[in-house]
Amino acid sequence: MSGTVTEKILAEHLVGGEMKQGEEIALRIDQTLTQDATGTMAYLEFEAIGIPRVKTELSVCYVDHNLIQSDFKNADDHRFLQSVARKFGLYFSPPGNGISHQVHLERFGIPGKTLLGSDSHTPTGGGMGMLAMGAGGLDVAMAMAGKPFYLIMPKVYGIKLTGKLPSWVSARDVLLEVLRRLSVKGGVGYIMEYFGPGVAELSVTDRATITNFGAELGATTSVFPSDENTRQFLASQGREEQWRELAADEGAVYDEVMDLDLSTLEPLIACPSSPDNVVPVREVAGKPVAQVLVGSCTNSSIRDLTLVARTLENHEVSKDLSFEINPGSRQVLENITAQGDLLTLIHAGAQVHQSGCMGCIGMGQAPPTGGISLRTFPRNFPGRSGTVGDKVYLCSPEVAVASAIRGVITDPRDLGEYPVFSLPEKVLPGDKRMEDPLPEDNQVEIVRGPNIAPFPDFDALPETWSGRIMMKVADNITTDHIMPAGAKILPLRSNIPAISEYVFHQIDHNFACSMKEAALEGNYGMVIGGDNYGQGSSREHAALAPRYLGGQVKLVKSFARIHKANLINFGIIPLTFADPEDYERVEQGAKVVIPGIREALLGGSNKVTVVVNDHPVEALIDLSVRHREILAAGGLLNWARRS
Ligand code: MIC
Ligand code: SF4
């Protein structure tokens, strides 16, 4: 035992397997969260498992993504979620209450606990010393049913913080620097653990910005120790008794270590269209900006919005751009209102929206054609904003407000004095709308709108698989490419037949149609991909919808963790090239046969031959025994019903 915080929490929750790198381990999950866009499916799956009440210490059902009610669909889904939460014993956080991660940190997070969330930014909880991980909805449904969460024992990447952040540089810049050094795949297979004297210089919400944005490294999660700052944060929330100390042992051993001196950082910015396309702000300063958005689960805490307001005290927002604020939670909104900062924001020219994801997931707030949009959000994948060819830059609240004032990308240090302020020792909780779990003998009926389609059934895996390569894509393909979001498609999340029409829509408008036609001829679909395939969102729809269309195999250079788990859950076989050079040799449209695939899986083989247009290509099978059985059964639900 090397004594990291990560290992301590893992050891306290281990219910199966050995904590040896690369081995599958099973963890007890204390808390779960879902958001609406992944939650509708997660609860349909929970119903299919057939357990009458959640078995975790605490589970919360949030509504934060699908907030635009342009027809009945989102409104119906919200009512479905509320009724499900009431029936199965969950807390319910209604629309307008805030973004799941922000609210969870404020009201429910507890140091040392495990949290599984059907959203890739669940690691936000790592800011207060939780082991908080994102997963697909079905894994979260299993955890709610009291089953363990399985994952491959990660390595621990220690990030040693020293020094203190200079003025106008903040937590966002810390992770932009890590992304600049490691890239969007640098964290795959790791838990990032922060330690060193610089930790004490960061508040819990600063730390949460870092662990939240750490999802973009592809890491399993990120975690900070729980210390005096954590105690103070919990005290400000009226929950001091839930504090416990958590620190790595003296001499703890990390698999990798990065030194990061906070005092050397400068304002950074991620350019279009990847969070790791990072440069110093001064290199792009002067470019005209059309839109500035402050919000999202990464940067919209009381501290962030107070900073923005105090900076604006002696300034106005440029008339050449729109400046919009999405408070992270009702608590944030109530507190900046009580402090008088909301008035400052409105006076200065901000458009203030309800608390929620909003433009971060293309639910409104799309930028104008060709215009630069500066966002304190975690993702700038192409087209995610809702505008084709968008130019989205990611930055700190400091850079956002300075640019909003000047109308061009601005290094905030040019503004002069950094506002100094203190935050309330006790915050207004802002949770009047939160619903507590109902008693077990409740008589709640689940409310289902016409948009909620039943969960599709899938066949078991045949002995030999044959089909066609229906799509070939490059490195770093995101789940936003595979299953786009936005105001038009998100309302279909509870209707797999309808949403499957949009699979790979950004790349090929006809993809769904071609898949269906091929399936009619008995050709099932295979996708070829590069490195880090399926990075980004945890949306299981990026596996479920392709599977519904007849997709059964993905052969890529490497996978992102959550997406690989989702593929297995829905019976899609994740294979990797034994020789990455073979990627160049396989073409879209080719006919493929994988003889004896079922036997190869069940027999424990770690290789299989994929015959592409009569040429053999060696593929690796990197799966646990449990994964292999799930795939042979055609997916996790089939497997769970049978075992
Ligand atoms: C995102 O930021 O991409 C999302 C939307 O929150 C997703 C979840 C989803 O697709 O519903 C995530 O991060 O997992
Ligand atoms: Fe919502 Fe954006 Fe956070 Fe995802 S990243 S949970 S869409 S605010």
Side-chain angles (χ1 to χ4, degrees):
M1 174 59 60
S2 73
T4 60
V5 169
T6 302
E7 283 153 316
K8 290 182 184 188
I9 306 180
L10 286 176
E12 280 175 19
H13 292 85
L14 191 74
V15 291
E18 261 188 87
M19 284 174 47
K20 279 199 202 140
Q21 237 170 64
E23 300 272 311
E24 187 173 67
I25 54 170
L27 295 180
R28 189 183 68 250
I29 296 298
D30 301 321
Q31 302 189 348
T32 64
L33 69 80
T34 56
Q35 39 91 338
D36 48 337
T38 54
T40 44
M41 200 43 71
Y43 295 106
L44 290 173
E45 289 154 354
F46 181 77
E47 278 189 294
I49 299 169
I51 305 268
R53 195 175 170 86
V54 292
K55 293 196 168 170
T56 47
E57 289 174 11
L58 175 151
S59 286
V60 192
C61 171
Y62 292 93
V63 178
D64 53 6
H65 281 62
N66 292 353
L67 298 184
I68 297 180
Q69 295 175 203
S70 57
D71 67 13
F72 64 95
K73 295 190 197 73
N74 288 342
D76 281 6
D77 282 357
H78 299 167
R79 299 225 309 172
F80 166 75
L81 290 168
Q82 185 176 37
S83 64
V84 158
R86 288 178 176 169
K87 185 168 181 67
F88 295 129
L90 291 94
Y91 286 86
F92 179 67
S93 178
N97 222 37
I99 308 171
S100 64
H101 312 301
Q102 177 70 28
V103 180
H104 207 88
L105 191 76
E106 296 163 353
R107 305 311 299 152
F108 299 114
I110 302 179
K113 297 277 182 190
T114 50
L115 166 67
L116 196 70
S118 61
D119 192 283
S120 62
H121 292 100
T122 305
T124 313
M128 60 154 50
M130 299 189 89
L131 200 81
M133 293 164 290
L138 185 48
D139 283 329
V140 177
M142 296 299 264
M144 288 192 284
K147 308 275 184 228
F149 176 59
Y150 295 88
L151 83 160
I152 304 298
M153 177 67 194
K155 294 181 268 182
V156 184
Y157 206 129
I159 303 197
K160 183 172 179 192
L161 301 179
T162 52
K164 191 174 169 357
L165 289 170
S167 296
W168 298 109
V169 178
S170 64
R172 159 73 63 157
D173 299 302
V174 176
L175 208 90
L176 282 168
E177 174 61 16
V178 180
L179 273 162
R180 193 182 68 74
R181 295 189 195 178
L182 295 184
S183 90
V184 287
K185 48 183 196 237
V188 175
Y190 288 99
I191 290 183
M192 318 301 287
E193 181 171 324
Y194 292 82
F195 70 104
V199 166
E201 301 297 334
L202 301 170
S203 68
V204 164
T205 55
D206 291 341
R207 297 174 188 178
T209 293
I210 294 171
T211 57
N212 166 297
F213 197 27
E216 306 324 317
L217 293 162
T220 302
T221 186
S222 304
V223 66
F224 271 85
S226 166
D227 58 6
E228 189 48 31
N229 293 1
T230 323
R231 196 188 58 71
Q232 269 174 24
F233 176 81
L234 280 166
S236 75
Q237 296 287 338
R239 305 197 284 123
E240 192 175 354
E241 73 290 352
Q242 294 179 333
W243 180 73
R244 71 178 260 206
E245 192 175 18
L246 261 175
D249 293 340
E250 193 77 29
V253 181
Y254 300 89
D255 297 292
E256 298 280 342
V257 175
M258 175 193 291
D259 287 309
L260 215 162
D261 179 354
L262 300 173
S263 62
T264 60
L265 291 180
E266 63 174 313
L268 297 171
I269 192 162
C271 302
S273 292
S274 178
D276 61 358
N277 195 6
V278 177
V279 298
V281 172
R282 62 184 153 72
E283 279 184 21
V284 287
K287 284 181 190 282
V289 175
Q291 181 188 50
V292 177
L293 301 183
V294 178
S296 90
C297 54
T298 316
N299 265 127
S300 57
S301 61
I302 301 176
R303 177 267 169 204
D304 291 340
L305 298 197
T306 307
L307 176 277
V308 170
R310 302 291 162 97
T311 309
L312 281 171
E313 264 171 357
N314 302 315
H315 296 277
E316 272 180 28
V317 162
S318 159
K319 295 210 165 54
D320 293 331
L321 48 76
S322 69
F323 179 56
E324 306 180 37
I325 304 274
N326 308 339
S329 64
R330 187 182 296 276
Q331 178 181 103
V332 171
L333 189 52
E334 284 192 9
N335 282 278
I336 61 162
T337 307
Q339 289 170 188
D341 290 300
L342 181 62
L343 186 61
T344 313
L345 292 172
I346 295 171
H347 256 318
Q351 292 167 250
V352 181
H353 295 261
Q354 65 175 313
S355 301
C357 299
M358 315 295 295
C360 183
I361 194 55
M363 195 48 72
Q365 302 182 313
T369 308
I372 287 184
S373 175
L374 226 62
R375 301 173 164 214
T376 67
F377 297 177
R379 293 188 170 143
N380 58 349
F381 302 146
R384 177 176 161 106
S385 67
T387 297
V388 177
D390 54 7
K391 294 189 197 146
V392 177
Y393 290 70
L394 308 174
C395 63
S396 65
E398 284 83 349
V399 175
V401 66
S403 308
I405 294 167
R406 298 271 170 97
V408 295
I409 298 183
T410 302
D411 185 325
R413 294 173 297 186
D414 294 352
L415 291 186
E417 222 169 294
Y418 194 44
V420 179
F421 54 88
S422 51
L423 293 172
E425 273 177 27
K426 193 129 203 135
V427 297
L428 298 167
D431 60 359
K432 280 260 160 58
R433 296 281 293 166
M434 182 74 79
E435 283 188 27
D436 288 349
L438 289 187
E440 187 147 11
D441 55 2
N442 71 71
Q443 298 299 314
V444 174
E445 288 289 322
I446 296 184
V447 184
R448 263 173 249 270
N451 184 42
I452 297 185
F455 191 80
D457 274 334
F458 297 124
D459 293 337
L461 182 69
E463 284 308 330
T464 286
W465 186 86
S466 61
R468 244 177 223 294
I469 298 178
M470 301 299 291
M471 172 68 73
K472 182 174 175 183
V473 288
D475 288 350
N476 293 325
I477 285 295
T478 71
T479 46
D480 277 81
H481 290 101
I482 306 169
M483 187 71 262
K488 183 171 156 204
I489 304 175
L490 274 172
L492 305 174
R493 285 284 181 93
S494 47
N495 186 334
I496 297 304
I499 204 169
S500 67
E501 297 293 327
Y502 295 94
V503 173
F504 280 124
H505 209 239
Q506 273 194 44
I507 301 175
D508 172 7
H509 267 55
N510 277 326
F511 182 78
C513 214
S514 319
M515 285 286 281
K516 285 192 217 155
E517 276 169 21
L520 283 178
E521 291 160 16
N523 281 318
Y524 291 100
M526 177 171 193
V527 172
I528 301 291
D531 267 322
N532 200 23
Y533 181 86
Q535 67 157 328
S537 153
S538 67
R539 62 191 72 153
E540 61 188 354
H541 301 73
L544 186 45
R547 176 74 210 266
Y548 178 80
L549 294 174
Q552 286 184 339
V553 185
K554 301 226 175 178
L555 174 59
V556 306
K557 291 186 193 162
S558 65
F559 285 101
R561 173 188 67 91
I562 304 179
H563 189 57
K564 181 173 173 185
N566 285 334
L567 293 175
I568 297 165
N569 284 350
F570 297 105
I572 300 183
I573 305 166
L575 300 175
T576 51
F577 287 102
D579 175 4
E581 305 268 298
D582 279 338
Y583 170 85
E584 306 301 335
R585 295 189 200 111
V586 297
E587 288 309 331
Q588 192 160 315
K591 189 125 185 66
V592 183
V593 182
I594 316 180
I597 177 65
R598 188 182 171 88
E599 202 190 316
L601 284 175
L602 293 177
S605 164
N606 55 10
K607 265 194 184 167
V608 70
T609 305
V610 178
V611 184
V612 182
N613 277 349
D614 298 330
H615 293 291
V617 171
E618 288 302 299
L620 303 180
I621 306 177
D622 180 14
L623 296 167
S624 69
V625 174
R626 201 180 56 91
H627 290 151
R628 291 162 186 267
E629 286 174 6
I630 292 172
L631 286 167
L636 181 56
L637 275 182
N638 288 357
W639 178 79
R641 283 191 196 115
R642 274 167 220 180
S643 50

